[in-house]
mmCIF file of all heavy atoms in Angstrom:
data_model
loop_
_atom_site.group_PDB
_atom_site.id
_atom_site.type_symbol
_atom_site.label_atom_id
_atom_site.label_comp_id
_atom_site.label_asym_id
_atom_site.label_seq_id
_atom_site.Cartn_x
_atom_site.Cartn_y
_atom_site.Cartn_z
ATOM 1 N N PRO P 297 115.972 93.963 81.917
ATOM 2 C CA PRO P 297 114.608 93.700 82.081
ATOM 3 C C PRO P 297 114.275 92.187 81.846
ATOM 4 O O PRO P 297 115.041 91.530 81.175
ATOM 5 C CB PRO P 297 113.889 94.476 80.909
ATOM 6 C CG PRO P 297 115.015 94.633 79.930
ATOM 7 C CD PRO P 297 116.322 94.611 80.662
ATOM 8 N N PRO P 298 113.143 91.697 82.418
ATOM 9 C CA PRO P 298 112.811 90.301 82.238
ATOM 10 C C PRO P 298 112.525 89.979 80.811
ATOM 11 O O PRO P 298 112.253 90.832 79.989
ATOM 12 C CB PRO P 298 111.534 90.148 83.101
ATOM 13 C CG PRO P 298 111.302 91.364 83.862
ATOM 14 C CD PRO P 298 112.132 92.415 83.259
ATOM 15 N N LEU P 309 123.855 81.495 84.980
ATOM 16 C CA LEU P 309 124.520 81.976 86.155
ATOM 17 C C LEU P 309 124.203 81.051 87.340
ATOM 18 O O LEU P 309 125.057 80.624 88.119
ATOM 19 C CB LEU P 309 124.255 83.391 86.482
ATOM 20 C CG LEU P 309 124.990 84.446 85.570
ATOM 21 C CD1 LEU P 309 124.265 85.858 85.664
ATOM 22 C CD2 LEU P 309 126.450 84.529 85.888
ATOM 23 N N LEU P 318 116.973 88.916 92.183
ATOM 24 C CA LEU P 318 115.681 88.426 91.778
ATOM 25 C C LEU P 318 114.535 89.298 92.210
ATOM 26 O O LEU P 318 114.434 89.564 93.395
ATOM 27 C CB LEU P 318 115.490 87.037 92.326
ATOM 28 C CG LEU P 318 114.166 86.354 92.152
ATOM 29 C CD1 LEU P 318 114.072 85.689 90.696
ATOM 30 C CD2 LEU P 318 113.919 85.300 93.230
ATOM 31 N N CYS P 393 115.425 65.724 102.005
ATOM 32 C CA CYS P 393 115.251 67.079 101.314
ATOM 33 C C CYS P 393 116.622 67.483 100.881
ATOM 34 O O CYS P 393 117.584 67.542 101.607
ATOM 35 C CB CYS P 393 114.688 68.004 102.451
ATOM 36 S SG CYS P 393 114.789 69.747 101.935
ATOM 37 N N ALA P 407 112.120 77.381 105.697
ATOM 38 C CA ALA P 407 111.229 78.442 105.379
ATOM 39 C C ALA P 407 110.953 78.382 103.882
ATOM 40 O O ALA P 407 111.911 78.505 103.088
ATOM 41 C CB ALA P 407 111.796 79.805 105.761
ATOM 42 N N ARG P 481 107.246 86.837 111.604
ATOM 43 C CA ARG P 481 107.513 88.192 111.088
ATOM 44 C C ARG P 481 106.210 88.678 110.445
ATOM 45 O O ARG P 481 105.668 87.991 109.660
ATOM 46 C CB ARG P 481 108.631 88.121 109.993
ATOM 47 C CG ARG P 481 108.983 89.395 109.391
ATOM 48 C CD ARG P 481 110.170 89.374 108.419
ATOM 49 N NE ARG P 481 109.876 88.685 107.249
ATOM 50 C CZ ARG P 481 110.813 88.375 106.227
ATOM 51 N NH1 ARG P 481 112.048 88.725 106.457
ATOM 52 N NH2 ARG P 481 110.515 87.738 105.175
ATOM 53 N N GLY P 504 112.652 81.992 123.204
ATOM 54 C CA GLY P 504 112.761 80.897 124.062
ATOM 55 C C GLY P 504 111.488 79.891 123.927
ATOM 56 O O GLY P 504 111.517 78.872 124.576
ATOM 57 N N PRO P 510 115.718 82.716 114.223
ATOM 58 C CA PRO P 510 117.071 83.296 114.445
ATOM 59 C C PRO P 510 117.223 84.644 113.788
ATOM 60 O O PRO P 510 118.179 85.352 114.060
ATOM 61 C CB PRO P 510 117.978 82.214 113.841
ATOM 62 C CG PRO P 510 117.084 81.273 113.053
ATOM 63 C CD PRO P 510 115.657 81.462 113.556
ATOM 64 N N GLN P 512 115.397 87.306 113.928
ATOM 65 C CA GLN P 512 114.828 88.482 114.614
ATOM 66 C C GLN P 512 115.803 89.265 115.449
ATOM 67 O O GLN P 512 115.497 89.550 116.619
ATOM 68 C CB GLN P 512 113.559 88.113 115.329
ATOM 69 C CG GLN P 512 112.563 87.291 114.465
ATOM 70 C CD GLN P 512 112.238 87.955 113.134
ATOM 71 O OE1 GLN P 512 111.768 89.083 113.069
ATOM 72 N NE2 GLN P 512 112.521 87.313 112.022
ATOM 73 N N ARG P 524 114.444 108.150 114.397
ATOM 74 C CA ARG P 524 113.636 108.536 115.633
ATOM 75 C C ARG P 524 112.146 108.373 115.353
ATOM 76 O O ARG P 524 111.699 108.983 114.353
ATOM 77 C CB ARG P 524 113.991 109.997 116.033
ATOM 78 C CG ARG P 524 113.381 110.439 117.290
ATOM 79 C CD ARG P 524 113.989 111.808 117.769
ATOM 80 N NE ARG P 524 113.599 112.919 116.865
ATOM 81 C CZ ARG P 524 112.484 113.488 116.899
ATOM 82 N NH1 ARG P 524 111.527 113.168 117.889
ATOM 83 N NH2 ARG P 524 112.169 114.465 116.049
ATOM 84 N N PRO P 541 99.513 114.456 106.686
ATOM 85 C CA PRO P 541 99.990 115.863 106.515
ATOM 86 C C PRO P 541 101.358 116.047 107.273
ATOM 87 O O PRO P 541 101.472 115.687 108.432
ATOM 88 C CB PRO P 541 98.939 116.690 107.240
ATOM 89 C CG PRO P 541 97.704 115.820 107.287
ATOM 90 C CD PRO P 541 98.189 114.390 107.238
ATOM 91 N N SER P 553 102.731 108.271 102.691
ATOM 92 C CA SER P 553 101.405 108.327 102.082
ATOM 93 C C SER P 553 100.726 109.597 102.529
ATOM 94 O O SER P 553 100.229 109.650 103.703
ATOM 95 C CB SER P 553 100.539 107.134 102.384
ATOM 96 O OG SER P 553 99.292 107.305 101.867
ATOM 97 N N PRO P 586 99.710 104.224 112.169
ATOM 98 C CA PRO P 586 98.778 103.481 113.004
ATOM 99 C C PRO P 586 99.079 101.934 113.045
ATOM 100 O O PRO P 586 99.492 101.390 112.077
ATOM 101 C CB PRO P 586 97.397 103.681 112.359
ATOM 102 C CG PRO P 586 97.668 104.384 111.054
ATOM 103 C CD PRO P 586 99.050 104.871 111.014
#
Side-chain angles (χ1 to χ4, degrees):
L309 285 164
L318 175 80
C393 168
R481 180 173 72 185
Q512 307 309 303
R524 187 168 67 82
S553 172

